[in-house]
Amino acid sequence: MSRFGMAIDTVRCVGCMDCVVACKTENKVPEGFNRDWITEEAFGNFPNIQLEIRTERCNHCEEAPCVDCCPTGASHYHDTGGVVLVNHNECIGCKACVASCPYDARFIHPDGYADKCTFCIHRVEKGEDPACVSVCPTHCMTFGDLDDPNSKISKLVKSRKWHVLKPEAGTKPHIYYLT
Amino acid sequence: MDSLSRRRFLKITGASIAAATAVTSLNSVVKGAKTIEEKNGSVVKGIQKIPTYCDLCFWKCGAIAYVDNGKLWKIEGNPIDPLSNGRLCPRGTGGVGASFDNERLKTPLIRKSVRGEDQWVKATWDEALDLIANKMKKIKTNYGPESLAFFSHGIGGNFLKHTFKAYGTNNITAPSFAQCRGPREIGFELTFGDVVGSPERTDIKNTKCLVLLGSHLGENMHNTQVQEFADAVGAGATVIVVDPRFSVAASKAKHYLPIKPGTDIALLLSWMNVLVTEGLYDKDYVEKYGFGFEQFAAEIQEYTPEWAYTRTGIEPAVIRETAREMGKNKPATLVHPGRHATWYGDDAQRARSVALLNALLGSWGRKGGFYTPYKFGLPGYPYPEYPKPEREPADNPGKKYPFAEGELLSTGLREATITGNPYPIKGWFVYATNLMQALPNQQETIKAIQNLDLLVVVDVVPSEIAGWADVILPEATYLERYDDISDSPFKEGFIALRQPAIDPPHDQKPNWWIAKKLADKLGLSNYFPWKNVEEYLDTRLKSAGLSLNEFKKTGIIKRPPKPIYFEDGVQPFFWTQSGKIEFYSLKLKEHGFDPVPKFTAPEEPPAGFFRLLYGRSPVHTFSKTQTNPILNDMMSENEVWVNADIAGRYGVKNGQYIKLKNSDGVISNKVKVKVTERIRTDCVYMVHGFGQTSIRNRKTYLKGASDAQLVTKYKMDPLMGGTGMNVNFVTFEMEV
């Protein structure tokens, strides 16, 4: 089995949005929408400030509410790596998944179906990294198999401090933010 | 500055490489590259990968354009390109949007009402170029060829530059000097006898201590630098950031110094004071290569951290601690020279202070400091000699700014256009630079335009300056044209090819075609002995034993590596008057300037006003990318950053729209407020390039505020004529 995930090094990330742009061109995401985005969180008072910059997207959760709530089965776990995908033909655009996602990772594509990050499964199945990972000028993102203890991502998650987003939602997200 | 020729260094390296014949060419990377000839009008099935180089900024990253069944799809970095290392920046990645933009200029346009009213009739290329050529001939007859000025930005201007040199003018300029990196180049040249150059010769990757003064890498997206910055941060380098705003780079820093705007020289002098007083500088290096160190050391004695504290607001203990960090990591300490350096009018002396600090640390020429760049050294095209202009360039009459040499002052040519002194400038030909946002004080630009007999603008989109033109010529985007070969000075010598991935969608033309056609109409055909650009490129390549056909497949050709550090055998050479690193500048003394930099306090904002600072976004370049639909989707308007305490005091809410009024009474377009802890209380900040007024760009029309509009004051750098632009103060206007 494999379990795909991402480790994102917030120490390296500068929030330049290259990942967002690359996703848009790679996946022909329509104008006005995007599948990934940048979040900046600042704490403290000037000049003693801590700033965390994160590139965010679908967390490809192990317990994904979007899959659970989908009335047609369009939202599903892919056989490879547990990637959460939407079958466009089966999707009726009811927005239940959009409402259920704690990360606000989904939107309704102008063509009527729920859309979101696919971990660029079309590239991954060819042995390439997702577009966002391969474009990043800071090399802050590592994509790989969390079930393989020898993968780079497993080693990073083991050796570095990290946090996930909204652990309280109980979704078991698979994007790790290294700090 | 006769003895300090900025060109000399590169000429010499170029000559030495031209003798070398070994060339590495990596053919394997780009499979299936097809040429336009092979395409021959019919759609090529499947995916084509076409190597080219980016034009979203001046960095010129190697890239590969993907064309899917004849339609442009995406663009990625070329893996063998040493600048991008296979990864473009967000602007580069979004570059394909420039081609899709439905508000592009489609045909030549001729003005039909008064200048600036933006009313046009469509024209054929022949009509437009005939009109231009006739007016140019008249200007030449009535005023002389020097009365035509050419303003450009980027390598795309090369062919037109050639036409204008053939026509006989020497008034060829780019705002990138006096409105950007000019002071930095002069400050470094006066110290080391050589410029920093572009790409900057900064060895960020190997630095152990990186000092950034106002330079906001990460927001300022110069690709190689940002990649190396992340590497340095990842490797645990000490980062020291000096900025009135808590930048992204500041969030990566061990030491963040929230300096009072305009006081950098005081901080730099006191850092040097600590290094010298505590004996932390590189004594061997200074002794071996330095000139005038004793006088310098004596002068900086008074600039203690306590002295600097009262000027900069930085605690003496912090100044000492950071100076010691720099000293500890020398010579792998890099005090970054920045790029956009026109801040306060004392910028060349500030740059010189940065240079001197690096000199004390022994970082010039050393690993982790400043490497010694070299070019591929591709010979130029064997053109006939240009006519010799009879008059000196008009930008700097009487050599008022004695160190403005090598490049012209765009603001100086504007001044000459207004005053007619030293002689009238009657024509402007503007290529790919939006002068309305690039030059300070828009009213002066408009005033100058009124004196012109001819204003031509070549651009991809109807930019603001295009709105003032007599004739607009629509250019093909970089993805639709050949350009000149890029041969940048870098860590390795390499050349890059720009070639079209697709055809222009309408009646747009590549600049080489415009330049050649205009020359024909001016009776200057002998200056264009080549039939088309392929022939030009192939001729240049053949002179180095290469061919265009091979180059088209890889997009990049490299020289074998050479040493780039003194410690690896690079022979140190300083093109200064003394032949050494000038801690004390005889040249400056001779011209009545401070031979060792001195600090002068900047003017304080009046009560209720804040200093207007501006900077960059990672998704935009100047004011030229805002119309790109992909990049516009990333950021369609700017925000004004206001300190949270100030916002509270003035009752300004986060996300609220306000206007800014400067001390000359100029009121901006409405702009969204970002209430933040990340900025000092005495200044506000915005990203440059927004608040555009070209009504034909619906995506950018009055989106956000224009810092350029508010920069009505500028302070001239007495050394080199740079325009310090961080000298404007604004207050809040709640009525929008």
Side-chain angles (χ1 to χ4, degrees):
Chain A
M1 283 296 283
S2 56
R3 163 61 63 191
F4 289 145
M6 269 187 199
I8 295 172
D9 192 341
T10 61
V11 177
R12 296 182 77 106
C13 176
V14 295
C16 72
M17 296 196 263
D18 209 353
C19 44
V20 186
V21 182
C23 173
K24 271 188 92 95
T25 59
E26 174 70 28
N27 297 299
K28 298 176 177 151
V29 180
E31 219 170 304
F33 299 94
N34 43 282
R35 292 180 178 180
D36 51 351
W37 61 93
I38 299 292
T39 301
E40 288 187 355
E41 239 178 312
F43 308 93
N45 296 103
F46 189 82
N48 302 307
I49 293 164
Q50 285 211 306
L51 178 67
E52 183 173 289
I53 305 169
R54 294 189 299 263
T55 162
E56 296 185 7
R57 60 192 45 62
C58 168
N59 278 271
H60 296 276
C61 306
E62 206 164 319
E63 307 280 345
C66 57
V67 174
D68 289 347
C69 75
C70 179
T72 67
S75 280
H76 65 281
Y77 301 106
H78 190 57
D79 293 341
T80 319
V83 176
V84 175
L85 296 177
V86 181
N87 184 330
H88 298 170
N89 295 330
E90 288 173 26
C91 177
I92 53 170
C94 74
K95 301 184 193 170
C97 58
V98 175
S100 77
C101 175
Y103 308 106
D104 205 12
R106 289 178 169 236
F107 60 91
I108 301 295
H109 191 281
D111 290 344
Y113 55 83
D115 200 9
K116 66 168 197 68
C117 162
T118 62
F119 266 170
C120 280
I121 193 75
H122 64 288
R123 292 172 59 101
V124 171
E125 286 180 339
K126 283 192 286 185
E128 296 171 3
D129 269 330
C132 57
V133 176
S134 74
V135 79
C136 177
T138 72
H139 289 256
C140 80
M141 281 178 268
T142 304
F143 176 83
D145 183 2
L146 291 157
D147 279 354
D148 173 4
N150 293 316
S151 67
K152 193 179 165 200
I153 186 172
S154 295
K155 286 178 182 163
L156 278 171
V157 170
K158 212 167 171 181
S159 63
R160 294 274 301 269
K161 275 191 197 159
W162 52 262
H163 68 90
V164 294
L165 299 182
K166 299 192 179 166
E168 68 280 6
T171 56
K172 296 192 185 162
H174 285 115
I175 295 186
Y176 296 83
Y177 289 95
L178 310 176
T179 55
Chain B
M1 203 160 51
D2 35 342
S3 72
L4 305 179
S5 166
R6 196 165 307 137
R7 304 268 174 249
R8 198 176 304 154
F9 168 78
L10 291 174
K11 254 190 214 156
I12 283 171
T13 40
S16 65
I17 315 167
T21 47
V23 167
T24 50
S25 170
L26 303 173
N27 289 319
S28 57
V29 184
V30 190
K31 292 253 165 66
K34 294 238 168 61
T35 65
I36 290 298
E37 284 87 340
E38 282 163 343
K39 243 169 60 178
N40 206 14
S42 62
V43 171
V44 178
K45 293 274 176 244
I47 288 171
Q48 291 174 274
K49 300 180 187 180
I50 297 157
T52 186
Y53 68 88
C54 185
D55 193 39
L56 270 284
C57 80
F58 39 74
W59 209 254
K60 308 187 193 85
C61 291
I64 295 175
Y66 286 63
V67 177
D68 184 357
N69 284 318
K71 280 181 83 174
L72 184 62
W73 170 25
K74 63 175 179 178
I75 189 161
E76 294 179 350
N78 186 338
I80 60 169
D81 165 47
L83 288 172
S84 72
N85 301 301
R87 292 167 184 241
L88 296 178
C89 85
R91 299 164 302 169
T93 305
V96 287
S99 185
F100 304 145
D101 182 5
N102 56 15
E103 288 173 344
R104 283 179 64 172
L105 293 164
K106 295 182 174 76
T107 63
L109 298 169
I110 294 174
R111 180 168 62 79
K112 72 168 178 191
S113 64
V114 295
R115 264 197 198 121
E117 276 189 2
D118 225 345
Q119 303 280 320
W120 308 92
V121 275
K122 285 182 186 171
T124 64
W125 278 95
D126 268 327
E127 287 165 350
L129 291 174
D130 279 337
L131 191 156
I132 295 166
N134 287 338
K135 290 222 176 173
M136 279 176 70
K137 283 179 196 164
K138 267 187 205 150
I139 289 171
K140 197 181 204 167
T141 311
N142 295 340
Y143 303 98
E146 304 89 354
S147 289
L148 188 96
F150 179 55
F151 296 79
S152 78
H153 187 272
I155 197 164
N158 280 16
F159 293 107
L160 282 161
K161 236 177 246 178
H162 172 61
T163 299
F164 290 109
K165 284 182 187 168
Y167 169 83
T169 184
N170 46 7
N171 284 312
I172 293 174
T173 184
S176 50
F177 183 72
Q179 281 67 54
C180 195
R181 59 181 168 70
R184 177 195 79 180
E185 305 299 40
I186 300 308
F188 270 67
E189 188 160 24
L190 284 164
T191 310
F192 297 113
D194 203 357
V195 300
V196 178
S198 176
E200 281 78 15
R201 51 167 73 184
T202 47
D203 192 16
I204 299 173
K205 191 182 190 75
N206 294 306
T207 197
K208 293 185 187 133
C209 178
L210 175 66
V211 185
L212 300 174
L213 292 122
S215 177
H216 46 311
L217 289 180
E219 290 158 282
N220 201 350
M221 207 62 208
H222 301 153
N223 197 352
T224 324
Q225 295 204 54
V226 175
Q227 295 192 16
E228 295 197 1
F229 177 53
D231 286 342
V233 169
T238 298
V239 178
I240 298 167
V241 169
V242 181
D243 201 317
R245 183 180 67 98
F246 188 87
S247 59
V248 167
S251 74
K252 314 291 180 194
K254 182 173 171 190
H255 301 279
Y256 168 54
L257 281 56
I259 194 164
K260 179 177 173 178
T263 65
D264 304 68
I265 292 179
L267 175 66
L268 289 158
L269 289 170
S270 74
W271 269 339
M272 293 193 269
N273 171 289
V274 176
L275 289 176
V276 172
T277 311
E278 299 191 5
L280 299 170
Y281 66 100
D282 191 333
K283 293 184 194 96
D284 292 344
Y285 183 95
V286 168
E287 191 162 321
K288 210 163 157 190
Y289 305 125
F291 169 84
F293 178 74
E294 285 70 29
Q295 285 142 297
F296 161 83
E299 268 211 38
I300 62 163
Q301 238 175 10
E302 61 178 294
Y303 306 129
T304 61
E306 286 71 20
W307 169 88
Y309 173 54
T310 56
R311 277 124 187 121
T312 63
I314 308 298
E315 300 273 354
V318 174
I319 295 176
R320 287 201 170 84
E321 194 186 348
T322 45
R324 286 168 194 156
E325 285 264 17
M326 289 183 231
K328 192 178 77 190
N329 290 296
K330 72 173 183 298
T333 294
L334 171 62
V335 188
H336 197 285
R339 185 166 180 119
H340 182 78
T342 41
W343 300 347
Y344 299 100
D346 57 2
D347 305 301
Q349 286 284 23
R350 184 187 66 250
R352 183 162 146 73
S353 309
V354 171
L356 288 169
L357 180 55
N358 280 299
L360 280 180
L361 294 160
S363 66
W364 181 262
R366 312 280 280 277
K367 189 173 182 179
F370 295 80
Y371 65 87
T372 309
Y374 63 104
K375 284 187 166 192
F376 185 97
L378 188 71
Y381 191 91
Y383 282 128
E385 215 167 301
Y386 297 119
K388 203 173 154 32
E390 281 173 20
R391 294 173 290 185
E392 288 284 301
D395 66 315
N396 188 16
K399 296 263 179 286
K400 185 175 174 194
Y401 305 105
F403 297 96
E405 246 184 39
E407 292 181 57
L408 267 57
L409 307 171
S410 294
T411 24
L413 286 181
R414 182 179 70 179
E415 184 68 17
T417 311
I418 294 171
T419 61
N421 177 45
Y423 51 85
I425 299 286
K426 300 307 279 185
W428 283 10
F429 199 107
V430 182
Y431 173 81
T433 173
N434 179 11
L435 296 181
M436 298 312 293
Q437 297 254 358
L439 303 180
N441 196 321
Q442 294 178 337
Q443 288 313 312
E444 286 182 39
T445 305
I446 292 166
K447 203 168 158 193
I449 288 171
Q450 307 309 323
N451 287 349
L452 296 175
D453 291 348
L454 175 66
L455 172 53
V456 181
V457 172
V458 183
D459 214 327
V460 172
V461 293
S463 59
E464 291 163 291
I465 188 69
W468 291 90
D470 302 331
V471 185
I472 306 178
L473 302 176
E475 198 195 10
T477 70
Y478 72 108
L479 293 160
E480 302 152 359
R481 68 177 196 239
Y482 281 102
D483 258 324
D484 210 348
I485 292 162
S486 165
D487 187 354
S488 298
F490 193 56
K491 287 182 176 179
E492 46 191 317
F494 72 100
I495 47 174
L497 175 71
R498 181 171 291 152
Q499 62 178 323
I502 52 166
D503 296 324
H506 308 96
D507 199 13
Q508 299 96 346
K509 295 286 183 194
N511 60 67
W512 67 262
W513 184 93
I514 302 171
K516 184 172 161 62
K517 193 90 176 163
L518 180 60
D520 286 345
K521 290 188 185 289
L522 289 165
L524 300 167
S525 302
N526 59 318
Y527 282 93
F528 285 83
W530 39 271
K531 196 166 74 251
N532 54 38
V533 72
E534 286 100 324
E535 194 182 304
Y536 163 87
L537 295 169
D538 204 38
T539 306
R540 283 195 70 188
L541 291 160
K542 282 219 171 82
S543 66
L546 305 166
S547 85
L548 180 59
N549 273 338
E550 284 303 303
F551 201 13
K552 280 177 173 180
K553 294 177 194 159
T554 62
I556 300 282
I557 300 173
K558 298 182 186 183
R559 291 282 188 202
K562 286 206 323 182
I564 54 169
Y565 307 121
F566 291 175
E567 57 267 40
D568 290 345
V570 170
Q571 197 54 40
F573 206 96
F574 307 101
W575 297 100
T576 54
Q577 200 167 18
S578 62
K580 294 193 157 195
I581 300 172
E582 299 210 337
F583 284 94
Y584 186 92
S585 169
L586 294 171
K587 205 92 201 165
L588 282 171
K589 190 174 161 57
E590 196 181 302
H591 283 91
F593 297 113
D594 299 327
V596 175
K598 284 186 166 44
F599 169 70
T600 314
E603 196 190 332
E604 298 285 333
F609 280 78
F610 307 90
R611 188 180 296 275
L612 175 65
L613 302 177
Y614 60 89
R616 304 293 183 215
S617 154
V619 292
H620 287 295
T621 305
F622 319 138
S623 62
K624 67 189 264 184
T625 54
Q626 281 79 358
T627 57
N628 174 317
I630 296 173
L631 298 177
N632 189 273
D633 223 4
M634 297 297 110
M635 182 183 186
S636 58
E637 60 182 282
N638 59 356
E639 296 172 311
V640 58
W641 293 40
V642 176
N643 172 278
D645 288 346
I646 297 297
R649 215 179 301 161
Y650 284 77
V652 180
K653 303 265 181 305
N654 192 45
Q656 177 186 347
Y657 281 91
I658 61 167
K659 288 182 175 176
L660 300 173
K661 182 163 97 176
N662 76 4
S663 43
D664 285 336
V666 172
I667 299 173
S668 76
N669 184 45
K670 64 177 185 177
V671 60
K672 206 188 265 185
V673 176
K674 173 179 170 135
V675 175
T676 179
E677 289 288 343
R678 291 174 55 192
I679 191 164
R680 285 173 62 99
T681 53
D682 54 2
C683 51
V684 295
Y685 170 84
M686 64 170 77
V687 168
H688 171 77
F690 288 86
Q692 296 185 24
T693 55
S694 173
I695 199 155
R696 287 176 297 150
N697 287 328
R698 273 156 297 178
K699 286 193 288 294
T700 64
Y701 182 63
L702 299 182
K703 294 282 168 62
S706 163
D707 55 292
Q709 183 199 8
L710 295 166
V711 176
T712 49
K713 292 193 199 321
Y714 55 95
K715 204 167 170 198
M716 297 302 290
D717 191 310
L719 273 66
M720 48 64 68
T723 54
M725 295 184 279
N726 289 358
V727 298
N728 289 273
F729 304 116
V730 295
T731 187
F732 308 140
E733 288 270 302
M734 301 302 184
E735 287 286 315
V736 294

